[in-house]
């Protein structure tokens, strides 16, 4: 490797020793927490927009705005992969956070539904690109054999960000209006940018790959190889699993209280169950990574999706004991949410650094389509009057389809000669 490639340059002055510090972990965690902000913020402001009539919002327009935002996230996730493999993890993450934050901060200036929706789409491009970039970085930053726990710990930021945003909405929206949520989100992101610039070193694995190219070594793999040759079947299996995983995450977060209401539980109980679901998610993330590191990515993610299917199916049974209901929902949360994150860890394990960003971006982008389909399935079942119990059956089937897809993926891929 060329000596000049052993550091991140004058912008950080950071060496390999500093790269092993806390800052990269913290900053990637914050980047993922911004994703958690986005999960909650639109749901928090739409009821206010509909009630007040601001900007001319109607239920149909609100649905379009929410969907278009997710489309932007999906496109951003897919588009960033080749860029982060070409220009590096550090510059890509800084650019993504800047883009998301600037357009989020501009949303309160919108004068119409069209402007609001356009800005949500543009912000989504940056936000969607953050996650695969942070995932690639943390996979490469982790100590050998600790990639699973590094990724799952980072993803706790997603749920912490969602919870903090929900609490913030309770405090800010009534006295300051819906615009305050986007102001806080945009400013929080922009405040992170100088820290990223000063404290985030480039990934050593990426620099090593760049060094090989600079020394004239032929490229073993290219970005397009993720959908060619021996990687094609692997990519299909992982993308199907990612699709099913985010279908479950967004479907359950959107419709769990409503489905439980159809089963005869109170609205208050349904909201409490949603909180328990996400509490289970954090527990699952803390546990799953360590098991994955100890037992291997493939057996762990197969077990996790299989148990997710089991506990989702159990929720279709009406339980007389509130304690049993809460326990079943928590167990579903433990396995559903961390199963999706284990897919990302599996992607990071299988692909070499030269195309890891592209592979993670593709998996995250396809998963975002599942994030749109999941709530749509729940809504269709609710409209048909069969959300309970068929909603849980549908989600359980999605988890089983993820198991089938992942069973086709090898546990390891040997480096090419």
């Amino acid at each position: 490797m060329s000596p000049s490639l052993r550091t991140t340059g004058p912008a950080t002055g950071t060496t390999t020793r500093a790269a092993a510090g806390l800052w990269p972990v913290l900053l990637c965690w914050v980047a993922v927490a911004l994703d958690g902000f986005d999960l909650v913020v639109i749901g928090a402001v739409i009821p206010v927009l509909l009630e007040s009539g601001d900007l001319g919002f109607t239920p149909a327009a609100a649905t379009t705005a929410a969907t278009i935002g997710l489309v932007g996230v999906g496109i951003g996730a897919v588009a960033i992969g080749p860029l982060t493999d070409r220009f590096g993890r550090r510059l890509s993450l800084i650019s993504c956070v800047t883009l998301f934050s600037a357009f989020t901060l501009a949303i309160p200036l919108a004068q119409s539904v069209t402007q609001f929706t356009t800005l949500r789409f543009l912000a989504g491009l940056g936000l969607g690109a953050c996650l695969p970039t942070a995932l690639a970085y943390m996979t490469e930053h982790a100590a050998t054999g600790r990639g699973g726990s590094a990724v799952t710990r980072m993803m706790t930021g997603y749920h912490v960000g969602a919870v903090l945003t929900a609490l913030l909405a309770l405090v800010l929206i009534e006295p300051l209006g819906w615009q305050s949520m986007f102001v806080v989100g945009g400013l929080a992101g922009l405040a992170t940018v100088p820290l990223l610039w000063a404290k985030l070193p480039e990934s050593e694995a990426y620099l090593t790959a760049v060094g090989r190219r600079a020394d004239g070594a032929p490229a073993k793999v290219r970005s397009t190889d993720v959908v060619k040759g021996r990687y094609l079947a692997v990519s299909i299996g992982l993308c199907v699993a990612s699709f099913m995983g985010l279908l479950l995450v967004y479907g359950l977060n959107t419709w769990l209280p409503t489905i439980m209401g159809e089963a005869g539980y109170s609205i208050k109980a349904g909201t409490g169950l949603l909180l328990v679901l996400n509490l289970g998610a954090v527990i699952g993330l803390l546990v799953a990574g360590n098991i994955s590191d100890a037992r291997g990515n493939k057996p762990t993610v197969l077990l996790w999706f299989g148990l997710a299917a089991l506990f989702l199916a159990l929720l279709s049974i009406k339980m007389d004991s509130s304690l049993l209901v809460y326990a079943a929902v928590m167990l579903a949360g433990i396995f559903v949410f961390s199963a999706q994150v284990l897919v990302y860890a599996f992607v990071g394990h299988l692909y070499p650094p030269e195309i890891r960003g592209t592979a993670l971006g593709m998996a995250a982008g396809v998963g975002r389509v599942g994030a749109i389909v999941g709530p749509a399935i729940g809504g269709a079942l609710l409209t048909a009057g069969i959300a309970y119990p068929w909603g849980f059956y549908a989600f359980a089937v999605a988890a089983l389809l993820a198991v089938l897809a992942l069973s086709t993926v090898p546990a390891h891929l040997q480096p090419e000669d």
Side-chain angles (χ1 to χ4, degrees), residues 39 151-152 155-156 158-159 162 241-242 244-254 256 273-286 288 301 304-305 307-309 312 329-344 399:
L39 172 68
V151 167
T152 53
M155 287 301 294
T156 61
Y158 179 83
H159 296 282
S242 181
M244 296 301 169
L246 279 182
L247 183 155
L248 293 174
V249 169
Y250 279 78
L252 283 171
N253 263 321
T254 302
L256 179 66
L273 289 170
L274 188 60
L275 178 61
V276 169
L277 182 78
N278 282 278
L279 178 61
V282 175
I283 296 172
L285 287 169
L286 294 174
V301 72
W304 245 241
F305 269 114
L307 290 172
L312 286 168
V329 169
M330 176 169 283
L331 286 168
I334 286 173
F335 293 104
V336 167
F337 292 86
S338 48
Q340 166 62 21
V341 178
L342 287 173
V343 173
Y344 295 143

Side-chain angles (χ1 to χ4, degrees), residues 380-409:
L381 293 173
L382 185 68
T383 301
I386 56 173
Y388 182 85
W390 286 98
F392 291 124
Y393 294 153
F395 291 141
V397 168
L400 289 176
L401 289 174
V403 171
L404 291 175
L406 289 167
S407 67
T408 68
V409 178

Side-chain angles (χ1 to χ4, degrees), residues 90-108:
R90 178 178 181 271
L91 181 60
S92 296
L93 191 58
I94 293 171
S95 301
C96 297
V97 173
T98 303
L99 180 67
F100 160 73
S101 303
F103 283 115
T104 295
L105 193 58
I107 288 175

Side-chain angles (χ1 to χ4, degrees), residues 23 68 79 89 101 121 123 180 187 197 234-235 268 273 276 315 370:
W23 276 109
I68 292 298
R89 321 306 190 203
S101 303
F121 173 79
S180 62
L187 290 177
W197 186 262
V234 174
S235 296
K268 183 178 180 180
L273 289 170
V276 169
L315 287 175

Side-chain angles (χ1 to χ4, degrees), residues 19-272:
L22 178 63
W23 276 109
V25 176
L26 177 61
L27 291 171
C28 286
W29 188 91
V30 170
V32 172
L34 293 173
D35 205 343
F37 163 86
D38 193 69
L39 172 68
V40 171
V41 70
I42 194 70
V45 304
I46 278 179
V48 180
L49 288 168
L50 293 176
E51 182 179 358
S52 65
D54 282 0
L55 307 182
F57 265 96
T58 64
T63 301
T64 299
T67 303
I68 292 298
L70 286 173
V71 170
V73 170
I75 293 174
V78 174
I80 195 62
L83 296 177
T84 191
D85 285 334
R86 175 66 180 85
F87 297 106
R89 321 306 190 203
R90 178 178 181 271
L91 181 60
S92 296
L93 191 58
I94 293 171
S95 301
C96 297
V97 173
T98 303
L99 180 67
F100 160 73
S101 303
F103 283 115
T104 295
L105 193 58
I107 288 175
L109 302 177
Q111 299 297 308
S112 66
V113 171
T114 300
Q115 291 180 12
F116 181 100
T117 303
T118 301
L119 289 169
R120 279 289 295 171
F121 173 79
L122 294 172
L125 292 175
L127 182 70
C130 283
L131 180 60
T133 306
L135 286 167
Y137 190 100
M138 285 309 301
T139 298
E140 295 165 357
H141 179 76
T144 302
R146 301 297 296 172
S149 56
V151 167
T152 53
R153 281 198 303 268
M154 183 189 74
M155 287 301 294
T156 61
Y158 179 83
H159 296 282
V160 173
V163 170
L164 290 178
T165 303
L167 295 174
L168 200 64
L170 295 175
V171 175
L172 292 184
I173 290 181
E174 185 172 347
L176 299 178
W178 61 266
Q179 296 91 337
S180 62
M181 293 298 295
F182 295 104
V183 171
V184 170
L187 290 177
L190 289 177
T192 306
V193 171
L195 289 173
L196 286 166
W197 186 262
K199 298 294 186 179
L200 188 73
E202 184 55 271
S203 159
E204 282 295 311
Y206 171 78
L207 290 176
T208 299
V210 172
R212 286 198 298 265
R213 292 198 298 265
D215 292 339
K220 294 183 179 181
V221 288
R222 302 180 186 277
S223 295
T224 54
D225 288 345
V226 296
V227 290
K228 293 180 180 178
R230 67 177 187 152
Y231 291 111
L232 176 59
V234 174
S235 296
I236 291 173
L238 291 167
C239 284
V240 169
S242 181
F243 176 95
M244 296 301 169
L246 279 182
L247 183 155
L248 293 174
V249 169
Y250 279 78
L252 283 171
N253 263 321
T254 302
W255 292 114
L256 179 66
T258 305
I259 294 175
M260 298 308 280
E262 292 289 302
Y265 298 99
S266 67
I267 294 176
K268 183 178 180 180
T271 304

